[in-house]
Amino acid sequence: MSLADEQVNKPLIHLQLAPAMIAIDGPAASGKSTLGYRLAQALDYLFFDTGVMYRAVTWAALARGVPVEDEGAVAALAQQIDIDIRSPGPDEQDGRHATVLVDGQDVTWRIRAPEVDRNVSVVSAYPAVRQAMTERQRQIAHRYGRGEGDRRGVVLVGRDIGTVVIPEAPIKFYIDAAPEERARRRYHELKKQGKHVPYEQVLADILRRDRIDSERVSVAPARGGRRGAHRQHRAERRRDAGAGARHLACQVRLIDGRLHDDLALAHQSATARALLLDAADAHLR
């Protein structure tokens, strides 16, 4: 019997994990942020959605009058500014998952402005910007991974975390779902926010973002299985030839059209808990 079978109901905080880095990758609207935040909360880890860094660069460019279409100028700005992520302080309990700082200034909510929304896809596509942000993400991950941050570890969420940013992460998840499934999830999220966007438009945007990700040379994410039940996962453990470190790669496919209902989210949380307990079992041996 696995550790997950024996302790699926045991609070994750009692696992006493050593300082660690957990990588979660997946396409847009796959549920990776929801999963990552729940794991981070359960483990008392920093939740680090790496997409906020590209928003921070975009905000800085707009605030400083740097044309977002000027790739060279935006890349230079990305290399100059200091972007950092930390846990929310006692006076920052306003719904944020993490605090985003640009040159020491709290921009957590400013990077969510509509003008940033309209321009971030352009900025995030610049190779030099991605290179600068990847290095900064790696620095933050290693700081928390060594136990030098304000939390016991870090959960990083993105598109290429486990393959490019921190391929050495001892615990990795890949979350996937069909484009139509992810579009339904995003469509319902937008409706709850009072944004009435046609489902067909949401699906087209999901497919466009998938195409951009697949064409980006620097990104080589693992791919989940194409068939499966409501929740299916595969786990593969291997020994690192150099350091002898134990790694766990988990692939989770979410299907059946129920990503947005409460029951499905509860199942997602239970699946994540079981996977992480198995990961902890492997990591601590």
Side-chain angles (χ1 to χ4, degrees):
M1 181 179 292
S2 72
L3 184 62
D5 294 327
E6 294 173 353
Q7 302 187 27
V8 69
N9 294 317
K10 183 176 181 179
L12 297 181
I13 197 67
H14 296 312
L15 286 173
Q16 299 301 320
L17 285 174
M21 300 178 293
I22 298 176
I24 301 182
D25 287 303
S30 60
K32 60 183 183 292
S33 294
T34 300
L35 177 63
Y37 182 66
R38 291 187 177 193
L39 292 182
Q41 289 290 96
L43 288 166
D44 192 31
Y45 281 17
L46 173 71
F47 173 69
F48 183 6
D49 178 356
T50 56
V52 301
M53 302 202 80
Y54 299 100
R55 285 182 167 274
V57 174
T58 304
W59 173 84
L62 294 169
R64 302 181 188 193
V66 177
V68 295
E69 64 274 10
D70 187 338
E71 181 175 352
V74 174
L77 177 65
Q79 294 165 357
Q80 294 168 4
I81 60 177
D82 179 27
I83 303 175
D84 201 5
I85 311 294
R86 61 168 170 76
S87 298
D91 58 341
E92 298 171 339
Q93 302 304 310
D94 52 5
R96 68 182 67 191
H97 290 168
T99 294
V100 183
L101 303 172
V102 172
D103 291 334
Q105 181 182 359
D106 183 353
V107 298
T108 304
W109 295 116
R110 296 183 185 185
I111 63 174
R112 300 293 177 181
E115 191 174 9
V116 174
D117 290 344
R118 290 192 293 268
N119 291 280
V120 65
S121 60
V122 174
V123 171
S124 64
Y126 294 147
V129 172
R130 298 198 67 83
Q131 183 178 357
M133 294 303 98
T134 294
E135 180 57 33
R136 187 63 187 130
Q137 291 161 18
R138 189 174 292 129
Q139 292 171 358
I140 295 171
H142 287 170
R143 185 175 82 225
Y144 279 86
R146 291 191 301 266
E148 297 174 359
D150 53 8
R151 294 291 178 95
R152 302 168 65 243
V154 60
V155 176
L156 285 87
V157 174
R159 308 292 181 87
D160 54 3
I161 305 303
T163 54
V164 176
V165 180
I166 47 169
E168 70 277 15
I171 301 174
K172 302 178 185 180
F173 290 86
Y174 186 80
I175 313 300
D176 198 8
E180 296 78 9
E181 197 63 55
R182 293 184 279 123
R184 273 191 288 271
R185 177 187 176 90
R186 180 56 54 81
Y187 173 76
H188 284 285
E189 288 177 347
L190 291 172
K191 280 188 67 175
K192 288 181 179 179
Q193 297 170 10
K195 301 176 182 178
H196 301 286
V197 182
Y199 168 81
E200 293 75 14
Q201 182 177 334
V202 177
L203 177 59
D205 184 58
I206 290 288
L207 293 172
R208 179 184 63 83
R209 293 180 66 179
D210 285 354
R211 184 179 66 255
I212 292 173
D213 283 345
S214 67
E215 293 172 350
R216 198 166 60 224
V217 177
S218 64
V219 180
R223 294 294 177 191
R226 293 293 177 188
R227 298 181 184 275
H230 178 59
R231 297 290 183 268
Q232 173 181 321
H233 69 271
R234 285 204 309 268
E236 177 183 356
R237 297 182 177 90
R238 65 176 176 81
R239 285 284 185 178
D240 183 90
R246 191 180 292 273
H247 292 252
L248 180 74
C250 297
Q251 298 179 4
V252 182
R253 186 159 179 80
L254 310 176
I255 63 175
D256 279 1
R258 296 185 295 182
L259 280 170
H260 54 271
D261 67 34
D262 292 339
L263 181 60
L265 288 177
H267 286 173
Q268 179 177 331
S269 180
T271 298
R273 177 171 299 201
L275 287 171
L276 188 58
L277 285 164
D278 275 338
D281 182 33
H283 187 49
L284 295 175
R285 283 178 185 169

